[in-house]
Each structure stands twice: as structure tokens, then as C-alpha cells.
Amino acid sequence: MTAVTIAEESPRQPAVVRLLELSDAYAASLYPAESNHLVDLSTLEKPTVSFFVARRDGEVVGCCALVEAGDGTAEIKRMFVDPEARGLKIGRHLLAALEAKAETIGLVAIRLETGIYQPEAIGLYKAFGYVERPPFGSYLPDPLSLFMEKPVRQAA
């Protein structure tokens, strides 16, 4: 089996932009615009964002971002795996890298919003210990959204 690598990289590269466009199209196929809470490329380039890229044989196959809120928490944004690479546990690798970063930078919790029509994503988050919570930050209650959180394990 080919090794998958995860590294912090710039989101501004053609293969990543392609993934973000696929993510946009996928979200738009499932939810109305007011229930899509996607962040744009310029937001992903901010210094408070750690952007991770998954590669398989050098090809970009997945991405995700850890967006710091400034209060000791951060939000997972733009978690997406290329449909051609699904089933290879790339989401697990990305989430593990993101959680390791959260621990390294001293965050206390990681939060996320995902859609109710994404059972694979929900299953992944639950498998990693994320639990449902009320809306946070600027989110409003939305019957199509699921909000989750996990405390960050602090090194002893």
C-alpha cells in the first residue's frame, strides 16, 4: 500500500484549489447556501490557521484546516478527501495531524460544524471522541447542522 503523508502546506496551490472546488460543489449538492459555512482561500492563509494537505504518491488527495478562535479553541474547517481516494483512511490521518497540532499549540478544545447528510464525516468525528454540543461562535441553530467538540489532551 502506498504511504500517505500529511504536512502543513499553503492552501494556495492548484491541486488544493481543485479540492476546495470539489468540496464547494459537494456541499452545494447537499445543502442550501445558508446552511453552507465554508471559508475562502484567503481565510485559510491567515496566520491563525494551520492548513494540512494529505498526499499519496505526491498527489494531493485531502485537506483540512485548524482555525484558531483566539479563546483557546479552534475549529476544523475544509476537511475534504478527494472522492477518488476515499476508503484509504485519509480523513483519519488528517484528523490525527490536526489534533496533534492543537495539542502542540496548547489549545483546550477543537470544535466543528458539519452537515447532517454526511454520515461518514459524523462517524469519523464520533470515532475520534467528538461529542455533540450547541452552536458556538457566530453559528445559529440550523436543523441541517451538527455541532461537535472535543477537549484537547494536554501533555503531562
Side-chain angles (χ1 to χ4, degrees):
M1 180 162 160
T2 306
V4 172
T5 60
I6 309 292
E8 284 189 63
E9 296 185 26
S10 167
R12 195 172 293 273
Q13 46 185 312
V16 171
V17 170
R18 176 188 156 275
L19 266 190
L20 296 175
E21 290 170 350
L22 286 172
S23 172
D24 291 349
Y26 179 65
S29 76
L30 295 174
Y31 308 102
E34 64 273 11
S35 293
N36 275 323
H37 307 285
L38 305 172
V39 294
D40 63 15
L41 193 59
S42 61
T43 299
L44 296 173
E45 293 178 306
K46 291 184 177 179
T48 54
V49 176
S50 301
F51 191 80
F52 296 88
V53 174
R55 291 178 180 272
R56 183 169 175 247
D57 290 333
E59 298 296 318
V60 173
V61 292
C63 63
C64 67
L66 184 68
V67 180
E68 294 178 56
D71 63 358
T73 69
E75 183 180 0
I76 298 171
K77 297 298 283 183
R78 291 304 208 156
M79 170 76 85
F80 190 76
V81 175
D82 189 314
E84 299 291 317
R86 296 214 175 123
L88 300 174
K89 311 249 183 269
I90 290 164
R92 289 182 167 278
H93 293 300
L94 283 164
L95 199 49
L98 184 142
E99 288 186 355
K101 176 71 174 197
E103 186 177 338
T104 299
I105 61 177
L107 296 176
V108 297
I110 302 171
R111 297 174 174 162
L112 65 95
E113 177 276 337
T114 192
I116 62 169
Y117 301 133
Q118 293 167 266
E120 297 84 1
I122 294 166
L124 174 65
Y125 296 131
K126 285 184 176 180
F128 268 71
Y130 290 79
V131 295
E132 290 185 42
R133 59 150 297 141
F136 58 91
S138 62
Y139 289 108
L140 299 174
D142 183 337
L144 300 178
S145 287
L146 182 66
F147 302 94
M148 303 179 89
E149 179 176 270
K150 179 181 179 178
V152 176
R153 180 179 57 84
Q154 299 301 320

